[in-house]
Every structure is written in structure tokens, then in C-alpha cells.
Amino acid sequence: MSPLKLVFAAALLSAVSAGSSETTTFTGKLILPPRSLPFAFTPLTLNAGEYNATSDADGDFFFVGIKPGVYNLEVGAASHAFPTVKIKFTEGEMDSPKCNLYLYLGSGMQPVDCSSSLTLPALAQYHYFESRPPFSPFAILKNPMLLMMLFSAGMMWYMPKMMEGMDPEQRAQMEKQMAMQSDPQAMLAELWGG
């Protein structure tokens, strides 16, 4: 190799080693409620994808090569809701990070010991679908079309009975009005007194 290439390689190596700081591996475990199906390959992220990990079938996960800084740990489980954890790694104390747990956005923080490993319990299970109500014959009565049909049928049955009990004078007047409604010219002539 030429001396120029050696100098360039040495400068590059020293720049890389000077720019790198200490890193650590962070481990944890997702805890599910009793009688839940175990899940594997649940995605976990630090700072929305700066570092990524997936859990195994037992819920264990680990992040490799984490540099000093403050990170938000989020679990992307499709079946359960998990709290968000803010983790602070300080240089010189990379093996004992400080963790604060947030149950939901805007809630107060709860300090959590995560120096050896973080245990993250599931808060709740997601329910994506509403269960269908069982069949009930009275549910048919909630249909507006059926209600209009029942009202119309009831009026067709009740109107003739109402006509039978009318006064003969009122009945004659009603029949006269009905006859005029069938002839619009006669109705207008009666209305204008002609």
C-alpha cells in the first residue's frame, strides 16, 4: 500500500474511533395477562425506529448497540396495549439506565427499576370488533319500514269501523266531500260558491 493510503486509512480509523462512544445492550421482557396466547415477533422501537427489536415467543427482547441518550420505548403489539417507557442512558453508567413508565400519553411518570432488565406488563387487550347481539323477535320492531307498514294496516282495519259509528248527517257530508274530491271542477265551484 502506498503511504498516502496508509495515512488516509489511519485518519479514517481514528475519526471513527474518536466519534464512537460506549454502547450497551438493553434487555427486557413483555408480560401478558393469564390465559393470553403467547406472541412472538412483536415489534419494539426506541425513538420511533432509531433502534428496533422483536420479541421472542416468551416475550424476551433486546436492543444492541445503544448509545448514550434519552429514548422512548414503544411496543407495537396488535393484541395488547403496553405502556411507554422513557429510558435514559448516561455515559459512564450505561449498564444502569434510568427508566420512567407512562401508562398512557399525558399520564404521570412512574420510576421503574430497569438496571438488570425491564419487565413490561400489558395494560389491556384490544377489542377490535363488537360482538353481534343475539336474535330477538322484538328487534324487528325497530325497523321503521315495518312500523309504517303496521300503522297503515292498522288504519285500514280501523277506518271502516270508525265510519260505522259516525252520525248519519256527518257521514252524508263526508261522502259529499269525497265525491267532490273525485271531480276537481265541482270542488272548485263549491269552494268559490259558484
Side-chain angles (χ1 to χ4, degrees), residues 40 49 56 64 77 98 115 154 157 190:
D56 61 8
V64 179
K98 307 221 179 340
S115 55
W157 177 78
E190 177 74 25

Side-chain angles (χ1 to χ4, degrees), residues 123-145:
L123 298 176
Q125 185 172 5
Y126 292 125
H127 296 285
Y128 290 106
F129 303 103
E130 191 173 322
S131 60
R132 188 174 191 170
F135 175 75
S136 168
F138 297 109
I140 297 172
L141 295 176
K142 293 180 181 177
N143 186 342
M145 293 301 289

Side-chain angles (χ1 to χ4, degrees), residues 30 39-45 53-56 59 61 75-80 82:
L30 300 176
F39 55 75
F41 308 115
T42 299
L44 295 102
T45 61
T54 55
S55 67
D56 61 8
F61 64 90
V75 180
S79 60
H80 290 80
F82 285 89

Side-chain angles (χ1 to χ4, degrees), residues 3 8 37 40 49 62-63 70 73 81-82 111 123 127 154 158 168 177 181 186:
F8 181 69
L37 295 173
F62 61 93
F63 292 96
V70 178
L73 171 65
F82 285 89
L123 298 176
H127 296 285
Y158 183 66
Q177 284 178 348
Q181 284 179 355

Side-chain angles (χ1 to χ4, degrees), residues 37 69 79 82 84 97 102 117 126 129 152 171 174 176 194:
L37 295 173
S79 60
F82 285 89
T84 300
Y102 296 89
S117 179
Y126 292 125
F129 303 103
S152 299
R171 182 184 247 178
M174 183 180 253
K176 181 181 172 187

Side-chain angles (χ1 to χ4, degrees), residues 80-151:
H80 290 80
F82 285 89
T84 300
V85 180
K86 186 176 268 188
I87 308 168
K88 182 179 181 182
F89 294 97
T90 54
E91 201 161 336
E93 299 176 358
M94 293 295 284
D95 292 334
S96 57
K98 307 221 179 340
C99 297
N100 293 322
L101 185 111
Y102 296 89
L103 295 178
Y104 54 89
L105 292 175
S107 71
M109 68 173 188
Q110 299 174 0
V112 176
D113 180 32
C114 61
S115 55
S116 60
S117 179
L118 175 67
T119 302
L120 204 56
L123 298 176
Q125 185 172 5
Y126 292 125
H127 296 285
Y128 290 106
F129 303 103
E130 191 173 322
S131 60
R132 188 174 191 170
F135 175 75
S136 168
F138 297 109
I140 297 172
L141 295 176
K142 293 180 181 177
N143 186 342
M145 293 301 289
L146 184 73
L147 291 176
M148 289 190 307
M149 189 174 70
L150 289 175
F151 176 75

